[in-house]
Structures are given as C-alpha cells and as structure tokens.
C-alpha cells in the first residue's frame, strides 16, 4: 500500500493537472514506445544474426567444391571461382593459384590466410567484406581457399529494415495511444455519468439513488458502494436532525421551568426559607438537564461507533453482579429486593459488547424497573447460556407497561402517559440507550408483560470476529 500511495503521488507530481484519461494515455504511450522500440531492436538484431549466419554458410559453400577438388587433385585445382564468387586459392608455397578477389583484398592475402573458418569483417578501401578461409590438407601440402562476400548489400538491407522498423514503431505507438485514449474514454464514461448524477443529486437535494449500470464490473460495484454510502450518510443526517429536534423539544420545558424558578428566587431574595426552596428546585432541574445532556451524548456515541470491543461470559457475570450490588446499595432501606441468577456456562464464548456497555445495559434496566415499581418490589436479573449465544432477562413485579406503548418503547424521549402525568423525572432515553447497545452488539431486545410485572429479554449472539489479540475491555 505505501508503494501504491508513493507511486500515485509521484505520478501526480510528474503529470499535474492531467485527467485520468490523459494520464493513462500518456503512460500507455510511454510503455508502448519502450516495448515496441525494444521489439524493433531485438528483431533487427535477430535478422542481422540470421543474415550473418546465412552469409557464413554461403562462404563455406563457395569453398566446399574447391576444397573437394583439391583433395582429389592436389597438384592444381581444375575448377576456379564461379561468376560472382570472390575466391582466392593459395598453394602450399603461399602463391595465389587462382583469384577473383578485388585488388584491395588480393594485396592482403598474407593476412587473410590466417583468418580461419570463422568469418571476419575486413575493410578494403571503400568497401567492407566478410572473409573466411578453409584449409585443404593434401599429401602435397596445405592449400588455403579464401572466400569473401561484400557486406554492402547486407548493410543496405539492414538499413532499409531499420527504417521500416522505425516507421512501424511510430505508427504502432501512435495507434496504441489512440486506442488507449478511446478505450479509456469508453471505460470512464459510466464513471462520468455517475459523477454527473451525484452532482445533480447534491444540487437538487433529491433523495434518489445513483443508477447502477448493468453488469457486475467495477463501475457497477462502485455505484452500489456509493449508494450504500449515501444511504448511511442520509440516515446519519436524519438521525442528527431528529436528535436536535428531540433535544430542543425536551429541553424547552426544563429550561422554562429553570427560568421560572430563578425568577421566583429573585422575587424571594428577602425570604431565606423560600429562597432556599427555590434554589433546591432549580438545582434539581439542573440535575435533570445534566442527565438529559449526558444521555444524549451517550446515545450519539453508541450510534456512531462501529465494531465494539468484545467481552466474555465471565465479564457478563461480573457486570451483572456489580450492577445488582450497586442497586442494593442505593435502595435506602426500602422494601426492594434485587437478585440475579446464572444458568449454564460458556467459558469460550465472546460477545460484541464492551464491559462498560454491559454494565450500563444492566444498570439502566434495573434502574427503570425500580423507578416503575416506586422502589418497592422484586427485580430479578437472569443470564442463560443458549446454543446460539446468551439470553439476559430482567423481570420485575411492577405495574408493567401499556400494550400500546410497547412498540415505541425504544424511541427517544418516549414515556407512557401515566409516567408523564405522574411527573416522573425520567428523560425517556434509558430504553433508547439500552436498544442502541443491543443493536450495536447485533443482538435483539423485546418487552412483554407477565401479568405480575414487566420482562425484558435481550439475546446476544456470539461474536464471529477473528481475534488477533486480547483487545480492549472497556
């Protein structure tokens, strides 16, 4: 990944201001030029090697019949060079017997007889020759047959081939670049269409989604991903708007009450007992506002975070025990019984809920039950191990919940009418926070009236995430 990022930054620096289409085309031209040039050089080298090898074969073929004739008749060869052949026959005494070599080569016979069967290039005046020698061993001595071929034709052929290859390389590179430009444009056309659709949706504020192109290519997957992102973004915006709307609605009443209480305190500034009572009332109102703000922040945090830390079965038991102990401490001697039961074991199970959220979950449920019962009754928290996960149940002996309210019980700021009429100080966010914690853990929560109270069942599935370490516990 770092290499890719560095490469992209480097490309952007070298090609500032160019579109993706232009950058791909320029890159394709460079690659095509390098590949085609390399192929042309390789092809020319191969052709040159083939021509030299062919010339070498011809040189040896020119010498072969003369060598055979010398071996049969070592006194003097009967046949001389054929027309067009450049051959010289040097006898054992070093004298030239027959020759069709040009004058420039004939003068260097003493040098040429030492070349051997491997051809060498010899410069002779304004011409270059490929020269090889073949030795005929006879009982009269060793004869040397010198064969030569003018390289001018070979050079002309290679020069013409080079020009053709250069022209071909240029034409192929230009054609490759044009094809790259056209293909890139065709490939990016759906992307440009998606961009225009996104701009249109952004300008008009439409709630429609991007049109997903047919097929299962990268562009269609990009459109699906963008639609998912747009949907999540819209839900987040709608949630934020709802939070602001609900908060403004719920804060309006306590703020008005606080203002009235402060005005009364100002009017009762000369009456110490009345002033103290007004200050106490204002303090309780401030406490309510503080709890409301804290719950709103906690709910927003739960709904925005993803992939919470995990905890185990023992962590759940520990948090249930601690929550029950806290409830017992604050019951202030009232006729209230809070207890818990553990059924089964799950020593290896992991659950997608943090230890802190598990404690907060049980605290809220017990607190709601105690408030609903007026501080008198029984609350039982049960944790059961099931094949698919864990079942957490909180059952109380309170008045239960109106059946009409159960479907909206987890909505923000929702409270039963009798709760509002009784002047309950609850903000209506407790069950919303519980629901957010369970949803974040990919669990399910349900409410039901038992006839003798209310039961809340929470099912927590086992986590399927692969653990790479102990992970955080909070």
């Amino acid at each position: 990944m770092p290499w890719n990022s560095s490469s992209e930054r480097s490309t952007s620096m070298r090609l500032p201001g160019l579109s993706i289409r232009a950058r791909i085309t320029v890159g394709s031209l460079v690659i095509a030029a390098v590949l085609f040039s390399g192929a042309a050089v390789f092809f020319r080298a191969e052709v040159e090697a083939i021509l030299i090898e062919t010339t070498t074969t011809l040189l040896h073929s020119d010498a072969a019949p003369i060598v055979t004739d010398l071996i049969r008749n070592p006194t003097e060869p009967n046949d001389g060079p054929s027309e067009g052949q450049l051959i010289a026959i040097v006898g054992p005494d070093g004298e030239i017997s027959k020759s069709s070599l040009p004058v420039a080569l004939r003068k260097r016979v003493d040098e040429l007889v030492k070349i051997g069967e491997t051809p060498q290039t010899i410069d002779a005046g304004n011409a270059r020759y490929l020269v090889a020698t073949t030795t005929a061993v006879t009982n009269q001595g060793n004869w040397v047959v010198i064969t030569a071929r003018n390289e001018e034709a070979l050079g002309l052929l290679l020069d013409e081939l080079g020009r053709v290859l250069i022209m071909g390389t240029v034409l192929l590179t230009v054609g490759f670049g044009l094809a790259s430009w056209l293909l890139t444009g065709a490939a990016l056309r759906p992307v440009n269409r998606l961009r225009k659709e996104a701009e249109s949706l952004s300008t008009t504020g439409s709630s429609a989604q991007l049109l997903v192109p047919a097929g299962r290519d990268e562009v269609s997957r990009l459109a699906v991903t963008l639609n998912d992102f747009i949907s999540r973004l819209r839900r987040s915006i709608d949630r934020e708007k709802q939070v602001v709307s609900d908060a403004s609605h719920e804060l309006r009443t306590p703020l008005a009450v606080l203002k009235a209480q402060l005005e009364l305190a100002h009017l009762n500034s000369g009456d110490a007992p009345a002033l103290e009572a007004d200050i106490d009332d204002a303090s309780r109102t401030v406490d309510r506002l503080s709890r409301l703000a804290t719950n709103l922040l906690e709910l927003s945090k739960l709904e925005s975070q993803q992939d919470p830390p995990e905890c185990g079965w023992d962590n759940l038991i520990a948090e249930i025990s601690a929550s029950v102990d806290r409830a017992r401490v604050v019951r202030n001697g009232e006729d209230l019984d809070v207890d818990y039961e553990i059924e089964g074991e799950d020593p290896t199970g992991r659950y997608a809920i943090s230890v802190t959220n598990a404690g907060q979950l049980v605290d809220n449920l017990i607190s709601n039950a105690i408030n609903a019962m007026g501080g008198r009754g029984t609350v039982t928290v049960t944790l059961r191990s099931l094949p698919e996960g864990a079942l957490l149940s909180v059952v109380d002996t309170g008045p239960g919940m109106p059946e009409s309210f159960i479907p909206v019980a987890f909505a923000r700021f929702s409270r039963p009418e009798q709760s509002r009429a009784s002047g309950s100080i609850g903000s209506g966010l407790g069950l919303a926070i519980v629901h957010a914690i369970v949803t974040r853990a990919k669990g399910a929560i349900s409410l039901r009236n038992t006839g003798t109270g209310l039961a809340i069942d929470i099912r927590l599935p086992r986590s399927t995430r692969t653990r790479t370490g102990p992970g955080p516990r909070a």
Side-chain angles (χ1 to χ4, degrees):
M1 185 62 69
W3 183 90
N4 290 338
S5 299
S6 175
S7 176
E8 291 175 1
R9 288 195 299 268
S10 176
T11 302
S12 299
M13 292 176 62
R14 289 195 298 267
L15 302 173
L18 293 182
S19 63
I20 293 177
R21 186 180 188 183
R23 278 184 285 176
I24 292 177
T25 302
V26 171
S28 300
L29 284 172
V30 173
I31 294 174
V34 173
L35 291 178
F36 291 146
S37 298
V41 171
F42 176 78
F43 182 75
R44 186 186 184 282
E46 286 296 309
V47 170
E48 183 177 7
I50 292 173
L51 291 175
I52 292 176
E53 183 178 357
T54 302
T55 303
T56 301
T57 302
L58 292 175
L59 290 175
H60 293 312
S61 298
D62 290 343
I66 298 177
V67 170
T68 302
D69 186 46
L70 285 171
I71 293 174
R72 291 176 180 174
N73 183 15
T75 305
E76 185 176 354
N78 294 324
D79 296 328
S82 301
E83 184 178 356
Q85 291 182 332
L86 301 179
I87 298 176
I89 304 174
V90 181
D93 55 0
E95 295 296 329
I96 298 176
S97 173
K98 293 181 179 181
S99 175
S100 61
L101 296 177
V103 177
L105 289 180
R106 193 181 303 171
K107 293 179 179 179
R108 301 171 60 179
V109 167
D110 294 340
E111 176 185 348
L112 298 180
V113 294
K114 302 176 182 178
I115 290 178
E117 294 186 356
T118 302
Q120 294 184 18
T121 300
I122 303 298
D123 289 323
N126 296 327
R128 300 178 65 188
Y129 296 89
L130 197 63
V131 180
T133 61
T134 305
T135 302
V137 180
T138 68
N139 53 10
Q140 300 295 325
N142 294 337
W143 292 75
V144 177
V145 179
I146 302 174
T147 54
R149 288 274 175 170
N150 194 324
E151 287 190 341
E152 182 178 358
L154 178 62
L156 292 174
L157 179 60
L158 291 176
D159 290 343
E160 184 63 24
L161 177 63
R163 284 191 293 270
V164 172
L165 290 176
I166 290 174
M167 292 178 60
T169 299
V170 173
L171 292 176
L172 287 174
T173 302
V174 172
F176 193 86
L178 180 60
S180 176
W181 175 266
L182 296 176
L183 291 176
T184 304
L188 292 177
R189 192 173 297 117
V191 178
N192 291 329
R193 184 171 60 249
L194 287 178
R195 178 182 57 81
K196 292 179 180 178
E197 290 180 8
E199 289 178 351
S200 176
L201 294 178
S202 175
T203 302
T204 60
S206 173
S207 59
Q209 290 191 325
L210 299 174
L211 179 64
V212 179
R216 300 178 58 85
D217 56 8
E218 291 80 358
V219 178
S220 62
R221 290 196 291 269
L222 173 62
V224 172
T225 301
L226 288 177
N227 283 335
D228 292 340
F229 172 74
I230 291 172
S231 298
R232 290 195 300 270
L233 186 61
R234 285 171 178 161
R235 288 196 297 269
S236 177
I237 294 174
D238 292 341
R239 185 171 60 248
E240 291 178 359
K241 289 180 178 179
Q242 186 64 39
V243 169
V244 173
S245 175
D246 293 342
S248 62
H249 175 74
E250 291 295 322
L251 289 173
R252 186 182 299 115
T253 298
L255 285 175
V257 171
L258 180 61
K259 182 179 180 181
Q261 290 168 342
L262 293 176
E263 290 176 351
L264 287 174
H266 180 70
L267 294 175
N268 295 327
S269 59
D271 186 349
L275 178 61
E276 184 178 0
D278 292 336
I279 292 176
D280 289 340
D281 291 340
S283 178
R284 285 191 291 272
T285 303
V286 170
D287 290 340
R288 180 184 177 187
L289 287 170
S290 177
R291 288 194 298 272
L292 180 60
T294 300
N295 287 337
L296 283 172
L297 290 174
E298 181 63 27
L299 188 58
S300 177
K301 178 181 177 182
L302 287 171
E303 291 180 342
S304 63
Q305 290 181 342
Q306 301 294 328
D307 294 336
E310 296 179 352
C311 72
W313 180 260
D314 293 339
N315 301 126
L316 293 177
I317 295 175
E319 289 305 312
I320 292 173
S321 175
S323 295
V324 170
D325 290 340
R326 286 192 291 269
R328 290 170 176 171
V329 168
V330 299
R331 66 183 178 178
N332 295 326
E334 297 178 354
D335 187 12
L336 177 67
D337 186 17
V338 183
D339 203 355
Y340 70 94
E341 298 177 359
I342 306 297
E343 299 180 4
E345 296 182 355
D346 189 9
T348 60
R350 305 292 300 177
Y351 303 90
I353 182 173
S354 68
V355 173
T356 300
N357 287 154
Q360 186 180 18
L361 177 71
V362 181
D363 284 343
N364 277 355
L365 293 177
I366 293 177
S367 176
N368 283 351
I370 293 174
N371 290 335
M373 296 187 303
R376 298 178 181 275
T378 301
V379 180
T380 303
V381 182
T382 305
L383 180 65
R384 297 182 179 89
S385 176
L386 302 177
E388 66 275 9
L391 174 62
L392 175 65
S393 300
V394 179
V395 182
D396 63 52
T397 58
M401 184 177 290
E403 292 293 336
S404 60
F405 180 73
I406 289 179
V408 296
F410 299 115
R412 292 185 182 90
F413 305 111
S414 61
R415 287 179 291 172
E417 290 300 325
Q418 64 265 32
S419 174
R420 296 179 183 272
S422 64
S424 173
I425 61 173
S427 63
L429 290 176
L431 287 180
I433 292 176
V434 169
H435 184 267
I437 293 175
V438 174
T439 301
R440 188 171 177 237
K442 297 179 175 60
I445 182 171
S446 61
L447 303 176
R448 55 187 172 86
N449 288 308
T450 63
T452 58
L454 181 70
I456 302 178
D457 296 324
I458 297 174
R459 297 179 181 273
L460 297 174
R462 291 186 181 86
S463 175
T464 57
R465 296 208 307 261
T466 302
R467 300 185 66 203
T468 57
R473 289 174 53 90

